[in-house]
Amino acid sequence: LGRGGGRPRPVMAATPSPSAPGGPEPPPPPLQYSLLLQHLVGEKRQPRAWDPAALGGIPSPPKSEEQKMVERAMESCAFKAALACVGGFVLGGAFGVFTAGIDTNVGFDPKDPYRTPTAKEVLKDMGQRGISYAKNFAIVGAMFSCTECVVESYRGKSDWKNSVISGCITGGAIGFRAGLKAGVIGCGGFAAFSAAIDYYLR
């Protein structure tokens, strides 16, 4: 208190004295952009859950047991093989009809080559060739798809090796009916073809 009972004098806070010349300098403050990077990509980054409702989207309801069963069935090897079989049948049939349409020998009788075939005979030959191609394509498609699914499930990976291995197995199984040499050639040729297709699609 001051003299005469007056108001208390304010006590001035002691200001830190500047560092003496030659003494240790205080550490510089951290840069602002470094703190920003720590919050963006560094250790202080907070992961956020993907919530469509927070972004203004429509939240998806939880899946029922029936939907989960349908998804598991569609992802099974049996369903993939059946789908490839149907697709191969349709593709093979279309390819057989197309090749028969551009073949000039369709409908001709080898016993009477000078006789002009009728439209019914031409359509009959085109249908037979289409059915033959459809069956072959369906068998190959089902074998390849089922083998690839089994190999992928066994390896636990989805890469180009699955198609190469399944192509070799499918080509070898088809070629072995004509002998060991044909099986080896079929394995190598189908594996190379599968690798080329997989590389092109990826």
Side-chain angles (χ1 to χ4, degrees):
L1 298 176
R3 295 177 182 180
R7 290 181 299 175
R9 296 179 180 179
V11 180
M12 301 297 294
T15 58
S17 60
S19 59
E25 297 182 358
L31 299 178
Q32 295 297 327
Y33 72 88
S34 63
L35 296 177
L36 180 63
L37 290 177
Q38 289 182 4
H39 285 280
L40 291 178
V41 295
E43 299 178 353
K44 296 183 179 181
R45 179 176 178 270
Q46 298 293 332
R48 296 183 179 181
W50 179 259
D51 188 8
L55 301 177
I58 301 176
S60 58
K63 297 180 181 179
S64 61
E65 292 296 330
E66 290 78 7
Q67 292 177 339
K68 294 180 180 179
M69 290 177 59
V70 170
E71 289 183 356
R72 287 194 295 266
M74 294 180 64
E75 293 177 357
S76 63
C77 296
F79 179 81
K80 292 180 179 179
L83 187 63
C85 181
V86 174
F89 187 87
V90 175
L91 181 62
F95 184 73
V97 172
F98 174 75
T99 55
I102 62 176
D103 191 358
T104 58
N105 295 326
V106 173
F108 281 91
D109 188 3
K111 298 180 180 179
D112 190 6
Y114 296 101
R115 185 178 64 87
T116 302
T118 62
K120 183 179 180 180
E121 293 174 349
V122 172
L123 292 177
K124 182 180 179 181
D125 287 352
M126 292 177 64
Q128 290 178 353
R129 182 176 296 189
I131 292 297
S132 177
Y133 275 67
K135 291 180 179 179
N136 293 332
F137 274 63
I139 293 173
V140 173
M143 289 179 60
F144 180 82
S145 179
C146 184
T147 307
E148 185 180 20
C149 181
V150 172
V151 172
E152 182 178 351
S153 301
Y154 177 76
R155 296 183 66 242
K157 297 179 181 179
S158 178
D159 52 12
W160 59 272
K161 295 181 180 180
N162 296 333
S163 59
V164 172
I165 296 173
S166 57
C168 180
I169 295 174
T170 304
I174 296 174
F176 273 135
R177 295 183 299 177
L180 179 61
K181 184 178 180 180
V184 174
I185 295 176
C187 174
F190 215 107
F193 179 75
S194 301
I197 295 297
D198 188 83
Y199 176 79
Y200 177 77
L201 293 179
R202 290 177 185 269

